[in-house]
Amino acid sequence: MRTLTLSLWLMLAAAAALAQVPAGSAITYQGELNEEGTPLDGAVALVFTLWDAPAGGLAVGAPIQLDSVAVAEGVFTAQLDFGASAFDGEARWLAIQVRSPHDPTDSQPFALLDPRQAVTAAPYAVHALNTQNHW
């Protein structure tokens, strides 16, 4: 019984410590890339630009270029950090450009994927919009 109590206490202490870590401003984007209906495999280069409109509009922050992003059976995951001020409660869209295969010389053009992808709210964002800060 003593071992079980100690283990439970350690798990609760670890959970409390993790709960105090701020979420940060990075978002995780997972996408699927197909070329003529066939899922891509290998490495690609991607450029993500955050916009304030689904077409036209203004870019929010600088573009993020990721080289050598692994794609397996068409699926990839990217961590994007446009900074804390990029998400102020207003709607945002991602424009994505891809270069496949990845070109280490950075000389081949990128293809712009269309349409822009809407960035949807996450639970932390919804909570933040509905909470008043008391400083």
Side-chain angles (χ1 to χ4, degrees):
M1 183 65 173
R2 185 176 232 183
T3 303
L4 178 61
T5 303
L6 179 59
S7 297
L8 181 59
W9 183 84
L10 289 174
M11 286 189 292
L12 291 173
L18 289 175
Q20 296 176 9
V21 176
S25 59
I27 62 171
T28 300
Y29 182 85
Q30 186 173 44
E32 184 176 342
L33 292 172
N34 294 293
E35 188 168 31
E36 297 178 10
T38 303
L40 286 177
D41 275 303
V44 300
L46 298 166
V47 175
F48 295 88
T49 307
L50 192 63
W51 293 87
D52 67 355
L58 299 172
V60 179
I64 297 173
Q65 181 171 333
L66 303 175
D67 294 317
S68 263
V69 175
V71 181
E73 296 179 17
V75 177
F76 70 92
T77 301
Q79 294 292 315
L80 308 173
D81 194 345
F82 292 99
S85 63
F87 298 101
D88 60 2
E90 297 298 319
R92 298 288 185 248
W93 288 263
L94 277 176
I96 305 168
Q97 299 175 67
V98 62
R99 180 170 48 209
S100 175
H102 167 61
D103 172 20
T105 66
D106 220 16
S107 60
Q108 296 300 312
F110 282 88
L112 178 62
L113 304 180
D114 195 40
R116 292 178 183 166
Q117 302 296 301
V119 178
T120 56
Y124 279 118
V126 172
H127 173 74
L129 289 174
N130 294 318
T131 303
Q132 288 185 323
N133 292 323
H134 300 284
W135 304 103

PDB file of all heavy atoms in Angstrom, residues 45-58:
ATOM      1  N   ALA A  45      10.131  20.724 -49.126  1.00  0.00           N
ATOM      2  CA  ALA A  45      10.319  22.020 -48.483  1.00  0.00           C
ATOM      3  C   ALA A  45       8.952  22.703 -48.482  1.00  0.00           C
ATOM      4  O   ALA A  45       8.191  22.591 -49.447  1.00  0.00           O
ATOM      5  CB  ALA A  45      11.342  22.851 -49.235  1.00  0.00           C
ATOM      6  N   LEU A  46       8.623  23.382 -47.393  1.00  0.00           N
ATOM      7  CA  LEU A  46       7.333  24.050 -47.250  1.00  0.00           C
ATOM      8  C   LEU A  46       7.533  25.488 -46.790  1.00  0.00           C
ATOM      9  O   LEU A  46       8.443  25.774 -46.008  1.00  0.00           O
ATOM     10  CB  LEU A  46       6.467  23.321 -46.219  1.00  0.00           C
ATOM     11  CG  LEU A  46       6.088  21.881 -46.528  1.00  0.00           C
ATOM     12  CD1 LEU A  46       5.534  21.190 -45.290  1.00  0.00           C
ATOM     13  CD2 LEU A  46       5.067  21.844 -47.657  1.00  0.00           C
ATOM     14  N   VAL A  47       6.681  26.372 -47.281  1.00  0.00           N
ATOM     15  CA  VAL A  47       6.642  27.756 -46.809  1.00  0.00           C
ATOM     16  C   VAL A  47       5.216  28.025 -46.345  1.00  0.00           C
ATOM     17  O   VAL A  47       4.258  27.789 -47.092  1.00  0.00           O
ATOM     18  CB  VAL A  47       7.051  28.766 -47.900  1.00  0.00           C
ATOM     19  CG1 VAL A  47       6.869  30.201 -47.394  1.00  0.00           C
ATOM     20  CG2 VAL A  47       8.476  28.539 -48.349  1.00  0.00           C
ATOM     21  N   PHE A  48       5.084  28.499 -45.112  1.00  0.00           N
ATOM     22  CA  PHE A  48       3.785  28.835 -44.524  1.00  0.00           C
ATOM     23  C   PHE A  48       3.732  30.346 -44.315  1.00  0.00           C
ATOM     24  O   PHE A  48       4.657  30.921 -43.734  1.00  0.00           O
ATOM     25  CB  PHE A  48       3.604  28.148 -43.172  1.00  0.00           C
ATOM     26  CG  PHE A  48       3.550  26.653 -43.254  1.00  0.00           C
ATOM     27  CD1 PHE A  48       4.716  25.904 -43.197  1.00  0.00           C
ATOM     28  CD2 PHE A  48       2.331  26.000 -43.380  1.00  0.00           C
ATOM     29  CE1 PHE A  48       4.666  24.515 -43.255  1.00  0.00           C
ATOM     30  CE2 PHE A  48       2.276  24.618 -43.440  1.00  0.00           C
ATOM     31  CZ  PHE A  48       3.450  23.867 -43.385  1.00  0.00           C
ATOM     32  N   THR A  49       2.652  30.964 -44.780  1.00  0.00           N
ATOM     33  CA  THR A  49       2.434  32.391 -44.550  1.00  0.00           C
ATOM     34  C   THR A  49       1.054  32.550 -43.935  1.00  0.00           C
ATOM     35  O   THR A  49       0.080  31.982 -44.428  1.00  0.00           O
ATOM     36  CB  THR A  49       2.522  33.192 -45.867  1.00  0.00           C
ATOM     37  OG1 THR A  49       3.756  32.886 -46.514  1.00  0.00           O
ATOM     38  CG2 THR A  49       2.468  34.696 -45.588  1.00  0.00           C
ATOM     39  N   LEU A  50       0.983  33.308 -42.849  1.00  0.00           N
ATOM     40  CA  LEU A  50      -0.270  33.546 -42.144  1.00  0.00           C
ATOM     41  C   LEU A  50      -0.921  34.809 -42.698  1.00  0.00           C
ATOM     42  O   LEU A  50      -0.248  35.831 -42.868  1.00  0.00           O
ATOM     43  CB  LEU A  50       0.006  33.696 -40.648  1.00  0.00           C
ATOM     44  CG  LEU A  50      -1.180  33.670 -39.712  1.00  0.00           C
ATOM     45  CD1 LEU A  50      -1.896  32.319 -39.768  1.00  0.00           C
ATOM     46  CD2 LEU A  50      -0.730  33.964 -38.293  1.00  0.00           C
ATOM     47  N   TRP A  51      -2.225  34.737 -42.990  1.00  0.00           N
ATOM     48  CA  TRP A  51      -2.963  35.847 -43.592  1.00  0.00           C
ATOM     49  C   TRP A  51      -4.185  36.212 -42.764  1.00  0.00           C
ATOM     50  O   TRP A  51      -4.711  35.373 -42.032  1.00  0.00           O
ATOM     51  CB  TRP A  51      -3.412  35.473 -45.005  1.00  0.00           C
ATOM     52  CG  TRP A  51      -2.268  35.313 -45.948  1.00  0.00           C
ATOM     53  CD1 TRP A  51      -1.535  34.179 -46.166  1.00  0.00           C
ATOM     54  CD2 TRP A  51      -1.695  36.313 -46.781  1.00  0.00           C
ATOM     55  NE1 TRP A  51      -0.542  34.421 -47.079  1.00  0.00           N
ATOM     56  CE2 TRP A  51      -0.619  35.724 -47.484  1.00  0.00           C
ATOM     57  CE3 TRP A  51      -1.990  37.648 -47.003  1.00  0.00           C
ATOM     58  CZ2 TRP A  51       0.153  36.427 -48.386  1.00  0.00           C
ATOM     59  CZ3 TRP A  51      -1.215  38.360 -47.924  1.00  0.00           C
ATOM     60  CH2 TRP A  51      -0.161  37.749 -48.595  1.00  0.00           C
ATOM     61  N   ASP A  52      -4.662  37.435 -42.944  1.00  0.00           N
ATOM     62  CA  ASP A  52      -5.859  37.896 -42.245  1.00  0.00           C
ATOM     63  C   ASP A  52      -7.126  37.762 -43.081  1.00  0.00           C
ATOM     64  O   ASP A  52      -8.188  38.241 -42.686  1.00  0.00           O
ATOM     65  CB  ASP A  52      -5.679  39.336 -41.756  1.00  0.00           C
ATOM     66  CG  ASP A  52      -5.594  40.355 -42.886  1.00  0.00           C
ATOM     67  OD1 ASP A  52      -5.579  39.968 -44.082  1.00  0.00           O
ATOM     68  OD2 ASP A  52      -5.536  41.565 -42.583  1.00  0.00           O
ATOM     69  N   ALA A  53      -7.038  37.104 -44.241  1.00  0.00           N
ATOM     70  CA  ALA A  53      -8.209  36.926 -45.114  1.00  0.00           C
ATOM     71  C   ALA A  53      -8.033  35.638 -45.924  1.00  0.00           C
ATOM     72  O   ALA A  53      -6.902  35.211 -46.169  1.00  0.00           O
ATOM     73  CB  ALA A  53      -8.351  38.123 -46.051  1.00  0.00           C
ATOM     74  N   PRO A  54      -9.141  35.030 -46.359  1.00  0.00           N
ATOM     75  CA  PRO A  54      -9.039  33.799 -47.138  1.00  0.00           C
ATOM     76  C   PRO A  54      -8.450  34.023 -48.535  1.00  0.00           C
ATOM     77  O   PRO A  54      -7.928  33.100 -49.156  1.00  0.00           O
ATOM     78  CB  PRO A  54     -10.475  33.285 -47.219  1.00  0.00           C
ATOM     79  CG  PRO A  54     -11.338  34.444 -46.901  1.00  0.00           C
ATOM     80  CD  PRO A  54     -10.523  35.382 -46.059  1.00  0.00           C
ATOM     81  N   ALA A  55      -8.508  35.252 -49.041  1.00  0.00           N
ATOM     82  CA  ALA A  55      -7.883  35.640 -50.308  1.00  0.00           C
ATOM     83  C   ALA A  55      -7.519  37.113 -50.189  1.00  0.00           C
ATOM     84  O   ALA A  55      -8.213  37.882 -49.523  1.00  0.00           O
ATOM     85  CB  ALA A  55      -8.838  35.416 -51.474  1.00  0.00           C
ATOM     86  N   GLY A  56      -6.442  37.514 -50.834  1.00  0.00           N
ATOM     87  CA  GLY A  56      -5.988  38.896 -50.683  1.00  0.00           C
ATOM     88  C   GLY A  56      -5.587  39.144 -49.242  1.00  0.00           C
ATOM     89  O   GLY A  56      -5.039  38.275 -48.585  1.00  0.00           O
ATOM     90  N   GLY A  57      -5.884  40.327 -48.734  1.00  0.00           N
ATOM     91  CA  GLY A  57      -5.594  40.625 -47.341  1.00  0.00           C
ATOM     92  C   GLY A  57      -4.137  40.934 -47.083  1.00  0.00           C
ATOM     93  O   GLY A  57      -3.343  41.145 -48.003  1.00  0.00           O
ATOM     94  N   LEU A  58      -3.777  40.915 -45.803  1.00  0.00           N
ATOM     95  CA  LEU A  58      -2.420  41.238 -45.370  1.00  0.00           C
ATOM     96  C   LEU A  58      -1.779  40.039 -44.692  1.00  0.00           C
ATOM     97  O   LEU A  58      -2.432  39.319 -43.934  1.00  0.00           O
ATOM     98  CB  LEU A  58      -2.442  42.408 -44.373  1.00  0.00           C
ATOM     99  CG  LEU A  58      -3.001  43.731 -44.889  1.00  0.00           C
ATOM    100  CD1 LEU A  58      -3.137  44.728 -43.749  1.00  0.00           C
ATOM    101  CD2 LEU A  58      -2.110  44.284 -45.994  1.00  0.00           C
TER     102      LEU A  58
END
